[in-house]
Amino acid sequence: MFNDATGAWDGPQMGPLLSDGCGKVYWHMTVGKKYKLCVSDNFYGGAPREYRHKDECCDNAATMDPAAVLTASAAGQRVQAAMQLDVAGLSLKAGDIFAYGSAQSGQTLTKNAYTSLGRDAALTAAIG
């Protein structure tokens, strides 16, 4: 929301504000105030998903600066803002993390986690 006193864009930062089944989000706007809508796909609650999406602002702007300004001119007015979120990459699925190896100094310990690819993603470290 645009702060008239400071001339800066600030709050409210909401989250998680999830979209409905049609991809719509709802927010009660104050008549005459200026808003910019940006989203980030960083909510990890609920069921695992196959993909994560890139952060984006309305009218497909990559950052807040060039994003379109949204303003409600009447109470209860619905203001539409288009977004098409690009896929950022694969998401991780929940799984059991485990470690195996030796706990002795100078030996290798490996930690694995099940990922959405169905393979182990391993991190190996030397204990010292």
Side-chain angles (χ1 to χ4, degrees):
M1 179 167 36
F2 187 74
N3 185 325
D4 293 318
T6 65
W9 291 97
D10 40 54
Q13 183 174 3
M14 298 294 298
L17 180 60
L18 304 177
S19 62
D20 66 11
C22 296
K24 295 180 181 181
V25 294
Y26 298 93
W27 177 261
H28 293 284
M29 298 171 69
T30 302
V31 174
K33 282 283 191 184
K34 298 175 188 172
Y35 296 85
K36 289 188 178 187
L37 176 64
C38 298
V39 297
S40 60
D41 186 10
N42 60 5
F43 179 66
Y44 292 91
R49 297 176 291 142
E50 187 174 358
Y51 299 103
R52 306 298 309 166
H53 294 89
K54 293 180 181 178
D55 296 349
E56 193 167 303
C57 297
C58 58
D59 289 342
N60 297 321
T63 63
M64 190 172 68
D65 288 338
V69 175
L70 307 172
T71 304
S73 56
Q77 177 187 7
R78 290 189 180 200
V79 177
Q80 294 187 6
M83 289 184 169
Q84 180 63 46
L85 300 180
D86 291 328
V87 172
L90 294 174
S91 181
L92 294 177
K93 289 186 177 180
D96 295 322
I97 296 174
F98 59 92
Y100 61 90
S102 173
Q104 295 181 355
S105 180
Q107 299 299 310
T108 299
L109 180 66
T110 302
K111 177 183 87 169
N112 286 53
Y114 182 79
T115 68
S116 61
L117 298 174
R119 300 188 296 259
D120 286 337
L123 170 67
T124 303
I127 297 174

